[in-house]
Amino acid sequence: MQTHPEVFGVDALAAKIRKIPNWPQEGILFHDITPVLQSPQYFRLLVDLLVYRYMDQKIDVVAGLDARGFIIGAALAYQLNVGFVPIRKKGKLPFNTIAESYELEYGHATIEMHTDAVKPGTRVLLVDDLVATGGTMTAGVKLIRKLGAEVVEAAAIIEFTDLPGGKKIRDENVPLFTLYQNSGSVDLFQSPVE
């Protein structure tokens, strides 16, 4: 088997994430995971790292937050051989829904999920790409709990340690697992030149 040692670590994965200053508005340093998704090696590394964490845990379903959580969550659910539940922005789901509103680092939003997405007692893994203020993920936790299900853990690629999101999620008595932690407002690693 051929290996590519530069691909095998979390630091290499984090370095593949592109940083875009002042997007979607002034003062935001956006962390773009599309370079990870575009690379077969890095996308596999991302999914494999999460699969290894959760393969021996009793997870009934993976719930992914709109929209990058859909990509990661669906791939993870497939590998774990469990179902996938999308938690979408308001007005995007066609069946009966429940909703939860929350604040973002640059505005406010509402997410929804189908009322039949999970049943009481379902063990849910909640997935997104990053944790900043924690608003989206906390709203997802509340939706899942409204339907009587249990959030086993919340997972993301990055946690911004200079923002309160991680603490906010943990204060909801939800364990949070992230592959990489950094200050969201400071570029701690160089983006690869391409």
Side-chain angles (χ1 to χ4, degrees):
M1 175 171 108
Q2 285 188 316
T3 60
H4 302 279
E6 71 277 6
V7 175
F8 277 35
V10 172
D11 288 341
L13 182 72
K16 190 77 170 166
I17 297 169
R18 176 173 39 215
K19 270 72 69 199
I20 302 168
N22 301 314
W23 197 87
Q25 72 180 42
E26 189 71 28
I28 302 293
L29 180 61
F30 187 82
H31 286 58
D32 178 15
I33 68 164
T34 58
V36 172
L37 303 176
Q38 291 165 346
S39 164
Q41 294 89 356
Y42 284 93
F43 189 30
R44 180 169 295 278
L45 174 62
L46 168 62
V47 174
D48 285 351
L49 288 169
L50 294 172
V51 167
Y52 290 129
R53 177 164 180 88
Y54 297 108
M55 64 191 300
D56 291 330
Q57 296 188 35
K58 187 183 178 313
I59 303 294
D60 298 318
V61 69
V62 175
L65 291 160
D66 199 340
R68 291 171 297 277
F70 293 175
I71 300 164
I72 302 163
L76 180 57
Y78 176 79
Q79 291 295 328
L80 293 174
N81 198 34
V82 299
F84 175 77
V85 171
I87 299 177
R88 300 213 58 191
K89 292 175 180 144
K90 185 177 180 169
K92 300 293 185 182
L93 290 171
F95 186 63
N96 299 328
T97 61
I98 56 172
E100 187 71 33
S101 295
Y102 61 98
E103 296 298 317
L104 295 163
E105 56 270 35
Y106 45 83
H108 61 277
T110 301
I111 55 174
E112 297 177 325
M113 70 187 293
H114 282 143
T115 55
D116 64 352
V118 294
K119 307 258 184 282
T122 301
R123 293 175 52 85
V124 181
L125 172 61
L126 182 60
V127 177
D128 205 357
D129 64 329
L130 64 87
V131 176
T133 62
T136 310
M137 200 165 268
T138 302
V141 167
K142 290 177 181 177
L143 284 176
I144 292 164
R145 287 178 173 167
K146 280 182 185 179
L147 294 176
E150 174 190 353
V151 181
V152 174
E153 192 161 81
I157 302 170
I158 303 170
E159 177 185 353
F160 294 155
T161 56
D162 61 337
L163 294 173
K167 180 180 182 327
K168 188 174 183 180
I169 294 160
R170 291 177 184 102
D171 285 350
E172 290 288 327
N173 293 315
V174 174
L176 174 63
F177 173 74
T178 55
L179 293 170
Y180 199 84
Q181 303 80 38
N182 79 343
S183 170
S185 59
V186 178
D187 188 5
L188 295 179
F189 46 83
Q190 296 289 328
S191 294
V193 177
E194 298 189 12

